[in-house]
Amino acid sequence: MDRSRSASDKQVVAPASERPLVALVLSGGGAKGMAHVGVLRALEEMHVPVDIVVGTSAGSAVAALYALGMDVDDIEDRFIDMDWLSSFRDSPGRAYKPVRRKMEDWRYPIDPGIGVGREGLKLGRGLVAGQNLGFILNELTSNASLVRDFDELPLRFRAVATDLETGEEVVIGDGALATAIRASMSIPGVYAPTEYNGRWLVDGGIANNLPISVAESMGADVIIAVDISDTLLDSDQLTGAFSVVGQLTTLMTRSNVEEQLELLTDEDVLIRPNLDGLTSADFFDSSRIMEVGATATRNAAVALNRLRVDPVTWAGYQQRRSVKHFTPKLISNIEIKDDSRLSSEFLLSRLRQKIGEPLDAEQLRDDLRRIYGLGYYETVSYALKSDESGEGSTLVIEVDEKSWGPNYMRFGLGYEDNFENDTRFNVAANFQMTQLNALGAEWNTGVQLGTEPYVRTEWFQPLDYGYRRFLLLGGDYQREAYSVFDDQGSRVAEVEVEKQEIDISLGLELGAEGELRGGYQRGYSSVDDAFGSSGAYSDSRIERGAWDLQFTVDTLDDPFLPSSGGFLGVNGRFERPGLGSDSDYDRTTLLGIGAQEWGQQVVVGQLYGSMVTRGEAGVESYVSLGGFRRLSAYARGEVTGADAALASLYSYRRFGGPVVPFFAGAGYEGGNAWQNVRDASWNDVIHSWNLFAGIDTFLGPVQLSTAYADDDHWTTFLTVGYSLESLFIAP
């Protein structure tokens, strides 16, 4: 086949002697795409230069990195060290959420991306929007952030994607390099499609998984094609739903691969790594997969030998490929491209990048993660372009509002059972209306049904574009029941405490992790014996009115099973008759949590205290310990008083992998409750020891634990979704 080059075709790497123009074509295949890195390694060992790289899906990522001049060693290291699972999650991590969002996490951990509009419930365009994948690709391609024509790269490059509307092949040769890769890798139903020049693009494997035809159209004389696509399974191997879905995917891509293979000539080289037993999801076998690719390439040495060049020519080739021509200049302008209801000043106020200074990529990614953590956007990304003078760079910030917003649903489930006399089961749902005005007002309503009913509605009004200052107006209803026990540990009564309250507060963000808020609360409480006699007074209505001041810092990576970070919360409540209260007292509550990870072992410490510092509190504001992680050897309410203190230390170890994250550990809890903390002594401290094991789920940890106290108390708990923070944040 005659593959003549037109005069218009660009050749960046000029040969030192006459040699064919070589194109490397890399197919898609998910995690198996790391075999392409091994192919590059072996080609470099043989001194086989390539001039054009074309890729589909995972192949486009490897091809792009090589085209922009990245060293193979660097590509290898990045792929081995990469947190691949993060690319299948959108959340940048809990650390990037504002404190008010974190306060909701423990009650509503299930965030499935359900929107609510006039037409009903709405879902996103994929299980994953691709936010973290975008950050990863931005970082990987940062050396070519100013490139808009892929023929200007050290090696000419093309990515192949599929038009979602027509099913047509789309060859991408310009634009942002990260966007091109992202479009080529957008697995339908998994990743949301990527917009490119007014078209919605998905994984290129649907249209052309081995784009030999693209390399031909670019004038290649010789094509090295690397096919890692799956082979069809026989009937004996189709044993489950996943294998059937995989077979359908293979059927979809195999036909276009076979069509492309027919374009190969005797001058071309086909490399097929033996990837039997490996799947497109085996990201943690990267070293093994790379070696398989290298081995397959070395086995093709006879066919590749004629493409080798002498050491001098190879050195010149490598030098020209590695030259960096794309160093970003000073930032001369910041451009905001968004389709949201919020003012552009909102985004600008949350960026720390200064005009006239070099790009601080790490700081910028940190700022964009915090913007994404607000929950308004499907994707938040950035790009660079040369300004009109050519002396500076324009930083382009692009945000895409969630297609299923701006109103969202979140859910939660909590369960606690000691297999004796205390079972607590609650289901919760939260409805959030966002971007209600240019400053980003929100209306948030949560409902919890079960043994501890709870309703909270709240208007959040920022007082500036950056959310640094805000106003909260809210109201809530809650009911909690706990048992009363005699000295022998027998349950003699059950007490119900019911509260209704409205509140208004002003708040201030303290950096990225802290918050200070203070305000006025007004309402009433009632205390009733559901059965038996608690010995406590009952009153149909106890008026309450108080000033409230709260300081919170939250850097925990997880509200249920943290492995790093900390939490510090301090709350002061000041009830006064002049504020409408029947009581006259001050209460201070403190909770501190710290978590540290060493390999697979995690240690978590907790210190809690709540005490009346002035006056006398009624039973409606007593602190109830007992229950899971609250002196676990005792039932809820078995340790109750006006003042309480609790210290705990837990250590657990992770087992299994990311799909089945088991854990097991042991812990100690010490504390008690008193009518007056001044009457407390070290002899009063209750010591509770426990063992626990479980699995981390989207509902929070599901765990089974057993606890023993030094007065021969034994208790076993089954729990779902218990959070340490609930001691402080729970109403």
Side-chain angles (χ1 to χ4, degrees):
M1 184 175 187
D2 182 19
R3 294 189 177 127
S4 60
R5 284 172 278 166
S6 68
S8 62
D9 286 321
K10 300 180 182 179
Q11 183 174 325
V12 177
V13 181
S17 60
E18 287 300 320
R19 64 175 179 85
L21 190 68
V22 178
L24 180 65
V25 178
L26 306 178
S27 76
K32 295 189 296 181
M34 289 183 286
H36 296 317
V37 182
V39 172
L40 293 175
R41 167 72 66 192
L43 289 176
E44 291 206 339
E45 291 172 355
M46 299 178 192
H47 290 186
V48 175
V50 297
D51 309 289
I52 298 168
V53 282
V54 182
T56 293
S57 194
S60 73
V62 178
L65 298 184
Y66 197 64
L68 65 83
M70 188 176 291
D71 187 79
V72 174
D73 288 337
D74 195 13
I75 299 174
E76 251 184 41
D77 292 341
R78 287 174 179 261
F79 277 30
I80 291 172
D81 296 337
M82 187 175 296
D83 180 10
W84 290 101
L85 287 180
S86 70
S87 68
F88 294 96
R89 299 190 295 264
D90 285 326
S91 174
R94 190 169 182 267
Y96 295 99
K97 295 182 179 181
V99 171
R100 60 188 180 86
R101 290 272 191 263
K102 296 174 183 177
M103 289 182 177
E104 302 166 355
D105 284 348
W106 73 270
R107 193 186 294 275
Y108 313 109
I110 308 172
D111 191 3
I114 296 179
V116 182
R118 294 179 179 177
E119 61 276 23
L121 299 180
K122 299 185 291 183
L123 299 175
R125 291 177 288 216
L127 294 175
V128 183
Q131 177 62 33
N132 281 346
L133 177 61
F135 282 140
I136 291 170
L137 296 177
N138 269 123
E139 182 179 1
L140 290 174
T141 61
S142 59
N143 287 339
S145 55
L146 290 177
V147 174
R148 288 299 176 268
D149 183 351
F150 298 166
D151 284 343
E152 295 178 359
L153 295 167
L155 304 180
R156 296 169 62 200
F157 165 71
R158 297 292 186 270
V160 176
T162 303
D163 188 308
L164 182 60
E165 185 177 0
T166 65
E168 296 174 343
E169 170 191 284
V170 178
V171 180
I172 307 174
D174 57 25
L177 196 59
T179 302
I181 304 170
R182 168 74 175 81
S184 184
M185 299 177 62
S186 296
I187 306 169
V190 178
Y191 290 115
T194 301
E195 186 182 11
Y196 173 79
N197 290 344
R199 309 171 78 175
W200 288 102
L201 305 184
V202 295
D203 196 293
I206 299 171
N208 193 348
N209 199 43
L210 188 63
I212 294 170
S213 58
V214 177
E216 278 193 342
S217 69
M218 296 174 71
D221 297 319
V222 177
I223 293 172
I224 303 172
V226 186
D227 181 16
I228 60 167
S229 53
D230 292 325
T231 57
L232 291 171
L233 304 175
D234 57 37
S235 58
D236 294 337
Q237 295 171 303
L238 298 172
T239 57
F242 288 108
S243 62
V244 172
V245 172
Q247 184 83 333
L248 293 173
T249 304
T250 303
L251 285 169
M252 186 169 51
T253 61
R254 197 67 234 171
S255 60
N256 67 60
V257 168
E258 295 298 332
E259 291 177 1
Q260 291 294 307
L261 290 173
E262 292 179 0
L263 301 176
L264 294 177
T265 72
D266 293 340
E267 299 296 312
D268 303 319
V269 181
L270 175 62
I271 299 173
R272 277 180 163 160
N274 183 7
L275 296 164
D276 292 345
L278 294 165
T279 72
S280 57
D282 287 328
F283 292 101
F284 300 96
D285 276 334
S286 55
S287 297
R288 175 187 172 194
I289 295 172
M290 291 177 191
E291 186 56 36
V292 171
T295 299
T297 307
R298 294 175 187 128
N299 291 339
V302 174
L304 293 168
N305 198 47
R306 60 188 172 83
L307 301 175
R308 296 172 68 122
V309 297
D310 61 83
V312 175
T313 303
W314 177 255
Y317 167 81
Q318 284 288 68
Q319 183 179 5
R320 287 187 292 271
R321 196 183 71 83
S322 63
V323 171
K324 306 295 189 299
H325 300 288
F326 319 110
T327 303
K329 307 175 183 73
L330 297 178
I331 301 300
S332 59
N333 184 38
I334 299 177
E335 179 182 322
I336 303 294
K337 296 175 64 177
D338 72 285
D339 61 352
S340 75
R341 307 179 186 191
L342 300 178
S343 169
S344 295
E345 284 85 353
F346 166 79
L347 293 171
L348 286 170
S349 68
R350 305 189 80 86
L351 299 176
R352 290 172 289 173
Q353 177 65 50
K354 303 298 183 185
I355 301 294
E357 295 182 359
L359 177 69
D360 188 332
E362 184 174 350
Q363 176 183 270
L364 177 61
R365 287 192 293 269
D366 194 67
D367 290 342
L368 296 184
R369 287 187 174 102
R370 297 192 188 285
I371 291 172
Y372 187 83
L374 294 169
Y376 301 149
Y377 303 112
E378 186 167 352
T379 56
V380 180
S381 60
Y382 76 94
L384 294 174
K385 64 181 183 180
S386 297
D387 61 17
E388 295 180 356
S389 69
E391 298 180 356
S393 299
T394 296
L395 173 62
V396 182
I397 304 297
E398 186 168 359
V399 298
D400 293 317
E401 192 176 85
K402 287 181 176 178
S403 58
W404 60 95
N407 308 319
Y408 311 100
M409 295 289 296
R410 298 177 67 181
F411 304 93
L413 182 147
Y415 181 81
E416 180 180 319
D417 188 2
N418 67 357
F419 302 101
E420 293 181 3
N421 48 29
D422 194 12
T423 301
R424 298 171 184 268
F425 178 78
N426 299 289
V427 292
N430 178 263
F431 177 55
Q432 185 180 61
M433 302 177 68
T434 69
Q435 305 179 61
L436 298 177
N437 55 38
L439 288 173
E442 297 179 7
W443 188 9
N444 205 343
T445 300
V447 178
Q448 178 173 287
L449 301 177
T451 52
E452 297 167 314
Y454 168 81
V455 180
R456 169 80 180 172
T457 189
E458 179 181 278
W459 179 274
F460 170 81
Q461 179 61 62
L463 301 178
D464 56 45
Y465 288 115
Y467 285 16
R468 305 296 188 270
R469 299 180 298 275
F470 56 87
L471 172 71
L472 285 170
L473 297 170
D476 59 64
Y477 165 85
Q478 52 189 292
R479 187 176 76 239
E480 182 181 12
Y482 61 88
S483 299
V484 179
F485 298 79
D486 60 21
D487 294 338
Q488 286 73 46
S490 300
R491 188 168 66 151
V492 296
E494 185 167 302
V495 175
E496 287 186 351
V497 180
E498 187 176 284
K499 301 176 184 178
Q500 296 186 42
E501 202 164 67
I502 58 174
D503 55 85
I504 179 171
S505 37
L506 289 171
L508 177 68
E509 280 193 355
L510 302 175
E513 292 85 19
E515 181 188 274
L516 178 66
R517 60 172 72 178
Y520 172 66
Q521 300 176 350
R522 181 74 171 91
Y524 73 90
S525 298
S526 62
V527 182
D528 292 296
D529 291 336
F531 71 85
S533 177
S534 66
Y537 71 86
S538 296
D539 195 325
S540 60
R541 186 179 180 96
I542 303 168
E543 298 291 337
R544 309 192 70 178
W547 295 114
D548 189 87
L549 184 64
Q550 181 168 298
F551 169 75
T552 310
V553 175
D554 190 345
T555 63
L556 291 176
D557 64 334
D558 190 279
F560 302 103
L561 202 68
S563 59
S564 65
F567 177 92
L568 176 63
V570 182
N571 177 270
R573 183 179 177 91
F574 313 98
E575 296 223 15
R576 297 288 188 274
L579 300 174
S581 177
D582 289 335
S583 302
D584 186 4
Y585 71 92
D586 299 336
R587 176 179 291 281
T588 300
T589 300
L590 178 145
L591 175 65
I593 304 170
Q596 182 63 53
E597 184 174 22
W598 290 273
Q600 297 296 307
Q601 197 72 33
V602 180
V603 176
V604 182
Q606 176 186 2
L607 182 63
Y608 170 79
S610 185
M611 57 197 68
V612 176
T613 56
R614 190 194 63 85
E616 183 176 346
V619 70
E620 74 279 359
S621 65
Y622 275 16
V623 181
S624 179
L625 297 181
F628 183 68
R629 295 283 170 87
R630 303 182 181 213
L631 296 177
S632 301
Y634 292 79
R636 187 79 66 90
E638 202 166 350
V639 183
T640 301
D643 301 333
L646 175 68
S648 59
L649 185 68
Y650 302 93
S651 181
Y652 67 90
R653 184 175 179 86
R654 301 181 187 272
F655 301 92
V659 180
V660 188
F662 289 105
F663 62 91
Y668 163 79
E669 304 156 16
N672 208 335
W674 305 269
Q675 289 302 111
N676 193 318
V677 73
R678 289 187 292 270
D679 299 330
S681 70
W682 286 110
N683 294 330
D684 296 333
V685 175
I686 298 171
H687 305 279
S688 178
W689 308 88
N690 59 83
L691 299 172
F692 56 90
I695 182 172
D696 198 9
T697 74
F698 67 96
L699 295 169
V702 178
Q703 54 190 314
L704 184 68
S705 67
T706 184
Y708 169 77
D710 43 12
D711 55 355
D712 211 27
H713 273 73
W714 284 93
T715 306
T716 300
F717 277 101
L718 176 64
T719 61
V720 179
Y722 176 81
S723 170
L724 297 176
E725 294 184 9
S726 62
L727 270 170
F728 183 81
I729 299 173

